[in-house]
Amino acid sequence: MNTICMCAAALAVSTLIVANVCAQSNVTIYGVVDAATAYASNQGGKSNTYMRSGNLSASKIGFQGVEDLGGDLKALFLLENGFESDTGAQSSASSLFNRQAYVGLQSTAYGSLTAGRQYTPYYLLVGSLASSNVLTGATGAHPGDIDGLDTTVRISNSVTYSMPAWRGLQASAQYGFGEAADGNVVGSSFSAAVKYSTLPAEFALGYLKLKNGANGAGWSDNASASFGISAINRGYASAESIAFIAASARYTMGKWMVGANASNVQYQAGSHSIFRDTVIFNTAGLISSYQLTPQWFLAAGYSDTFASHANGVSDRARYRQLSFEQTFALSKRTAIYLIEARQLARGQTLGQDGAIVKAVASVGDSQNGTPSSNGGQTVVMVGLKHSF
C-alpha cells in the first residue's frame, strides 16, 4: 500500500509541475482539420469528384507563445505548418513550417516587431475585409488569387513593424530581404497597409511589391516571396516585379454584412521576361453575408477580373466569378459546410511559353493546378471542419 501511495503522490506532483511549466511558458497549440468531397465540372477537359483538404479553412497545426519580459515588453513566436487532411502529407514537402514561422517583440505602447516567414500587411489588413476571409479562398478568392488577397502570398526573410492600434486605426509595414550576394534588391519585397474601423464600417488600403530573383524561366525559388500561379497569370510568372494595390470596405448591420473591394496588379517585364509589355489585372468585387440563425451562416460574392491589352493580345482576358457558402455550426469548433462557385472566362492571355492562348476558367485558388480546358468551370464542395 505504501508503494501505491508513493506512486500516486509522485504522479500528482509531476502533474502539478508540468501544469505549472506549461502555464509559465504560455504556449498554445492550435489547429484546423478540414476535409471535403469536391466536384469540379472541368479539370483539363474532364469532370472530377475527389477529396480535398483545407477548403473552408486550411488544415494546419500551429504553436504560439508569449513571454512577459517585464514592464510593457513581451517576446512572442509563431510556428504554423500546413498539412493535407486527406493524405496526412505536409502541404510543402520542403518546409516544415511553410505557412508562418517568426519571432518578435511586442509592446502596448510602441507596437510589435517580428522577423521570419510571415503574411504581408497587405493581406492581413486589406485581405481581412475581402472575399476570401468571408467566403473562403478555395472558391471565393478572386480567380487564381490574382490580387494576393488570400493566403497564397507569404514572405520569407522578412521584418514587419505594426503600430499599436489607435482610435480604430491600424498600420503596418514589412520588408523582405532578397538575400542575394549581388544585392538585396534582387528577390526582395515590400508591403504597407492601413486599416480604419469605426463600427459598423471598416476600410483598408494596402500596397505590395514583389521582385523576382535571378531567374529568366519563371519566378525564382530564391525570391523572398511566394504567390499563387495559375492559368490566369502563368504567362507572366517571369516578370521582373509585380506591384499590387488594393482597397476594401465593409458595413455591418446587425446580422447583415455588405462589402466591396477593388485591386490593381501590374506584372512588369524585365530583360529576362518572356513577355515585353507590362500587363495589368483589375478586379472589382462585392461580398455579403447573413447570420440566419446562431448555427446557420450564409455568404455570397461576385468578382469581375479583366486584363489590359498588351503583348499582342487584342481580345483581353476577362474572368467573372459567382461564389456561395452555407455553413452549419454543430458547435463552436465544428461545422458542416457547402460551398459553390461558377466562373466564366473569355478573351485571350499568354500561356507559359509566351504564346497567345484562349483564357480558361480557374475557380478561386483551389483550382490553380487544375484549370478548366475551356471558359467555364463549376466547383462544389461539401465538408467538415474542426478547430482545436
Side-chain angles (χ1 to χ4, degrees):
M1 292 294 294
N2 290 338
T3 301
I4 294 175
C5 291
M6 290 177 64
C7 290
L11 178 61
V13 170
S14 63
T15 301
L16 289 173
I17 291 173
V18 170
N20 188 48
V21 169
C22 290
Q24 289 180 358
S25 63
N26 196 19
V27 175
T28 301
I29 301 175
Y30 67 92
V32 174
V33 184
D34 181 314
T37 298
Y39 167 78
S41 64
N42 187 323
Q43 290 183 337
K46 298 180 180 180
S47 64
N48 190 17
T49 301
Y50 58 106
M51 182 170 284
R52 188 177 187 276
S53 171
N55 307 287
L56 190 65
S57 298
S59 294
K60 55 183 173 283
I61 184 168
F63 305 86
Q64 186 173 26
V66 178
E67 180 188 10
D68 192 339
L69 301 176
D72 184 36
L73 192 62
K74 295 179 180 179
L76 58 91
F77 78 89
L78 189 146
L79 301 170
E80 191 175 274
N81 166 259
F83 64 89
E84 304 302 318
S85 61
D86 53 336
T87 64
Q90 291 183 183
S91 296
S92 174
S94 61
S95 302
L96 176 58
F97 297 109
N98 63 306
R99 294 180 64 84
Q100 300 181 81
Y102 64 79
V103 65
L105 297 172
Q106 184 179 52
S107 163
T108 303
Y110 299 105
S112 65
L113 186 68
T114 53
R117 180 170 173 82
Q118 307 173 76
Y119 292 121
T120 64
Y122 172 87
Y123 161 71
L124 292 173
L125 298 185
V126 184
S128 65
L129 303 181
S131 59
S132 60
N133 187 262
V134 177
L135 282 161
T136 174
T139 52
H142 296 154
D145 194 25
I146 186 68
D147 47 15
L149 291 176
D150 194 23
T151 58
T152 55
V153 177
R154 300 180 178 96
I155 312 295
S156 297
N157 316 314
S158 63
V159 176
T160 304
Y161 170 73
S162 299
M163 64 167 277
W166 180 74
R167 295 185 178 181
L169 180 67
Q170 296 174 265
S172 183
Q174 178 190 79
Y175 182 78
F177 292 88
E179 297 195 342
D182 58 347
N184 280 321
V185 172
V186 177
S188 66
S189 65
F190 174 76
S191 177
V194 294
K195 181 180 178 181
Y196 180 63
S197 300
T198 174
L199 295 177
E202 297 177 276
F203 309 91
L205 176 66
Y207 174 78
L208 171 64
K209 181 71 173 283
L210 309 179
K211 293 186 177 180
N212 204 347
N215 187 343
W219 195 261
S220 173
D221 292 336
N222 296 322
S224 64
S226 59
F227 65 98
I229 296 178
S230 68
I232 316 299
N233 63 354
R234 186 169 288 118
Y236 307 102
S238 61
E240 183 176 69
S241 64
I242 311 172
F244 304 73
I245 185 167
S248 56
R250 281 191 195 176
Y251 190 85
T252 304
M253 304 165 288
K255 296 181 179 181
W256 281 101
M257 183 280 295
V258 293
N261 46 77
S263 65
N264 174 279
V265 184
Q266 299 187 21
Y267 288 76
Q268 297 158 344
S271 58
H272 298 290
S273 301
I274 62 173
F275 63 100
R276 64 180 185 275
D277 303 324
T278 295
V279 66
I280 300 172
F281 288 88
N282 290 302
T283 300
L286 297 172
I287 53 173
S288 182
S289 68
Y290 182 63
Q291 192 71 51
L292 181 63
T293 69
Q295 291 78 34
W296 278 106
F297 174 80
L298 309 176
Y302 173 78
S303 66
D304 193 345
T305 300
F306 51 94
S308 59
H309 293 102
N311 302 292
V313 173
S314 57
D315 184 12
R316 61 181 183 175
R318 183 179 183 183
Y319 309 86
R320 287 170 288 180
Q321 181 175 284
L322 184 62
S323 307
F324 299 97
E325 175 192 335
Q326 306 89 46
T327 300
F328 182 78
L330 298 172
S331 70
K332 290 184 178 180
R333 298 187 299 167
T334 305
I336 298 172
Y337 61 86
L338 180 65
I339 51 179
E340 314 95 348
R342 172 68 176 172
Q343 186 185 123
L344 296 175
R346 297 291 184 269
Q348 300 173 323
T349 186
L350 294 190
Q352 188 171 4
D353 59 358
I356 297 175
V357 296
K358 289 184 178 180
V360 296
S362 182
V363 164
D365 55 27
S366 65
Q367 305 301 310
N368 281 8
T370 53
S372 173
S373 63
N374 57 38
Q377 188 178 57
T378 300
V379 175
V380 179
M381 301 181 184
V382 57
L384 177 68
K385 182 192 84 165
H386 176 75
S387 303
F388 61 90

